Amino acid sequence: FVNADLVVVGSGFFGLTIAERAATELGLKVAVLDRRHHIGGNAYSENEAQTGIEVHRYGAHLFHTSNERVWEYVNRFTKFTSYQHKVYTSHKGEVYPMPINLGTINQFFRSAMSPTEAKALIAEQAGELAGTDPQNLNDKGIQLIGRPLYEAFIKHYTGKQWQTDPKDLPAEIISRLPVRYNYDNRYFNDTYEGLPVDGYTAWIERMADHPNIEVVLNSDFFEDGEYGRSSVLGQVPVIYTGPVDRYFDYAEGDLSWRTIDLEEEVLPIEDFQGCSVMNYPDADAAFTRIHEFRHFHPERDYTKDATVIMREFSRFAEKGDEPYYPVNTSDDRQKLLAYRDLAKGEKSVLFGGRLGTYKYLDMHMAIGSALSMFDNKIKPHFTGGAKLE
Ligand code: FDA
């Protein structure tokens, strides 16, 4: 006997959206399991103990969407600030705006080019490899934006992200490198953008705050327990948002992921870098970027005596590391197809979210896809007896 109508594995945005809808709209009793000690998956944040500054524990999380339904849904649980994300990059002792735009280009070439002139210059520089079919990321980068900009802002940054010389990376990793021929350096182009006014964790806790939702932390689905695999499979429907290869005991091989290491430091100064994210595209720094969390909430009355920064290092994930970004080589895609076939055979289990589908999903995409799964599969199953597959 299982004391729930639905078991959700993983309390990230995907799992919590399913749980909230199932409890609120269908009145179902939902158990949400997570192997971590907290809810929220990778969007989890907490206040750093010494300074009270909110830090995103698994890397910076910026909310943005153009999806009306998702925007309406998330506003049920939190208000958003008017924060607009902007990124800068520190190259050879000079700071430039990102993504590459007319400001970056004119600063880099010590010029005052118009959009038309800048376009012509970049086209000419990209022409170095015109008509060739680049076989590695390095050549592809040069072909897209020309050697000078590529070597300054992309080459080493990408090399650090992958811990691999871009000459040894497949060209397919990048299909385009955005260059803006105006001075707009707003990072996201979405209709809605902002950060949760009282933090990610407050938002996430409100989603789970329903008498029909039971959250069980420090609990791995693959270990024995009230809602562990051996107790619930075949008894109640399961929504699984953990890694799909883990579910099938890596039968088709391991899917490859990149992970990040975050090094936090509290500094006894008010402001370290003057912005929330500074990229480091040169080879001499091992990290890719530095986050300074106070800048995500300029509206808050944070201490002026200290600031919290996080250096981000990026590398291929090994077993036991947190899987963050799918590498997605053609070998991975083959394995994924095999896992998808296996998943179809799991009759009362639905796979969702970033890890369950092996897809990088922004928060709004994870929420949007959970709302669709709820409408198309879960609701019909519980209200009309449709099969859950
Ligand atoms: P998520 O990974 O959040 O949750 C899965 C949960 O399942 C985890 O809590 C895990 O512990 C649990 N779990 C796994 N296996 C289990 C098992 N066997 N038993 C029990 N529990 C298990 N998005 C965005 O919109 N803006 C941004 O700026 C960023 N930034 C960003 C930075 C980094 C470094 C990453 C990796 C991701 C982002 N994202 C983002 C993406 C965002 O984190 C993502 O959309 C959500 O994590 C997706 O939520 P999910 O619920 O799919 O997975």
Side-chain angles (χ1 to χ4, degrees):
F1 171 76
V2 180
N3 192 23
D5 304 310
L6 182 70
V7 171
V8 174
V9 182
S11 65
F13 271 119
F14 192 96
L16 283 183
T17 302
I18 297 279
E20 188 280 328
R21 289 290 71 214
T24 306
E25 197 175 326
L26 302 178
L28 298 179
K29 200 161 181 309
V30 188
V32 181
L33 211 64
D34 207 295
R35 63 188 172 86
R36 291 178 175 163
H37 72 278
H38 59 75
I39 59 169
N42 277 11
Y44 172 72
S45 73
E46 61 190 359
N47 294 345
E48 192 280 325
Q50 190 185 327
T51 57
I53 294 174
E54 181 185 356
V55 295
H56 304 166
R57 274 287 155 230
Y58 301 91
H61 275 66
L62 295 315
F63 189 80
H64 54 97
T65 188
S66 296
N67 183 321
E68 296 290 341
R69 184 179 184 202
V70 168
W71 184 242
E72 186 280 318
Y73 180 70
V74 297
N75 273 276
R76 295 180 198 177
F77 309 101
T78 181
K79 287 190 166 58
F80 288 86
T81 67
S82 55
Y83 178 83
Q84 292 190 345
H85 196 44
K86 292 195 174 149
V87 172
Y88 294 85
T89 190
S90 177
H91 167 62
K92 289 196 175 156
E94 235 180 281
V95 172
Y96 298 82
M98 281 274 116
I100 297 173
N101 62 70
L102 198 50
T104 325
I105 294 171
N106 274 331
Q107 186 181 345
F108 186 76
F109 292 109
R110 295 283 183 271
S111 58
M113 284 180 279
S114 69
T116 311
E117 289 164 338
K119 254 184 223 165
L121 177 73
I122 303 307
E124 183 194 320
Q125 295 180 341
E128 179 184 337
L129 294 181
T132 62
D133 181 18
Q135 294 303 307
N136 61 61
L137 194 148
N138 196 66
D139 291 353
K140 182 78 181 261
I142 294 169
Q143 198 184 59
L144 286 169
I145 59 170
R147 189 182 290 274
L149 290 178
Y150 165 76
E151 290 191 341
F153 299 115
I154 310 293
K155 181 178 176 169
H156 301 293
Y157 192 85
T158 309
K160 288 194 280 188
Q161 274 184 317
W162 298 91
Q163 298 279 288
T164 307
D165 186 326
K167 288 194 177 102
D168 298 323
L169 287 169
E172 62 182 22
I173 291 179
I174 45 169
S175 52
R176 51 188 289 272
L177 287 171
V179 174
R180 295 181 186 167
Y181 293 99
N182 56 35
Y183 290 94
D184 175 15
N185 76 321
R186 223 182 123 174
Y187 206 76
F188 300 113
N189 293 317
D190 279 312
T191 317
Y192 306 108
E193 180 179 351
L195 290 170
V197 166
D198 49 5
Y200 278 98
T201 295
W203 167 10
I204 289 157
E205 279 172 352
R206 273 181 224 121
M207 289 180 78
D209 182 20
H210 189 287
N212 284 7
I213 298 179
E214 180 188 2
V215 177
V216 187
L217 298 175
N218 302 305
S219 253
D220 193 310
F221 183 59
F222 300 106
E223 286 168 12
D224 291 340
E226 188 181 356
Y227 301 110
R229 170 158 67 173
S230 52
S231 311
V232 303
L233 266 200
Q235 307 293 315
V236 289
V238 172
I239 311 302
Y240 175 81
T241 74
V244 60
D245 51 357
R246 168 68 189 91
Y247 184 94
F248 295 105
D249 296 317
Y250 307 101
E252 304 293 338
D254 294 24
L255 293 166
S256 50
W257 295 86
R258 273 196 305 125
T259 191
I260 57 174
D261 299 312
L262 295 162
E263 228 176 66
E264 181 179 306
E265 197 179 346
V266 177
L267 300 169
I269 49 172
E270 182 181 353
D271 196 343
F272 172 73
Q273 63 185 18
C275 65
S276 25
V277 178
M278 181 72 73
N279 287 357
Y280 284 83
D282 297 343
D284 57 1
F287 43 86
T288 49
R289 47 187 181 168
I290 298 182
H291 308 274
E292 185 174 11
F293 284 94
R294 67 179 313 118
H295 293 295
F296 287 123
H297 288 281
E299 79 287 0
R300 289 186 189 165
D301 192 18
Y302 281 143
T303 173
K304 294 190 173 11
D305 298 335
T307 193
V308 185
I309 63 165
M310 242 183 225
R311 292 186 180 82
E312 180 173 321
F313 301 80
S314 177
R315 59 183 171 82
F316 279 102
E318 293 173 15
K319 271 237 166 77
D321 286 327
E322 286 293 343
Y324 278 173
Y325 302 102
V327 174
N328 215 3
T329 61
S330 49
D331 190 37
D332 288 320
R333 288 197 288 272
Q334 287 301 320
K335 288 179 193 163
L336 181 61
L337 291 177
Y339 281 122
R340 282 199 190 139
D341 280 345
L342 287 173
K344 275 189 209 132
E346 290 288 294
K347 285 304 174 208
S348 60
V349 183
L350 294 178
F351 293 78
R354 193 173 65 82
L355 304 165
T357 57
Y358 189 64
K359 254 193 218 142
Y360 177 79
L361 299 176
D362 271 327
M363 292 176 278
H364 67 107
M365 296 157 87
I367 293 165
S369 101
L371 290 172
S372 300
M373 180 187 276
F374 177 76
D375 285 353
N376 299 331
K377 303 205 167 159
I378 297 170
K379 196 169 162 186
H381 171 82
F382 283 101
T383 56
K387 274 202 189 137
L388 198 76
E389 49 190 356

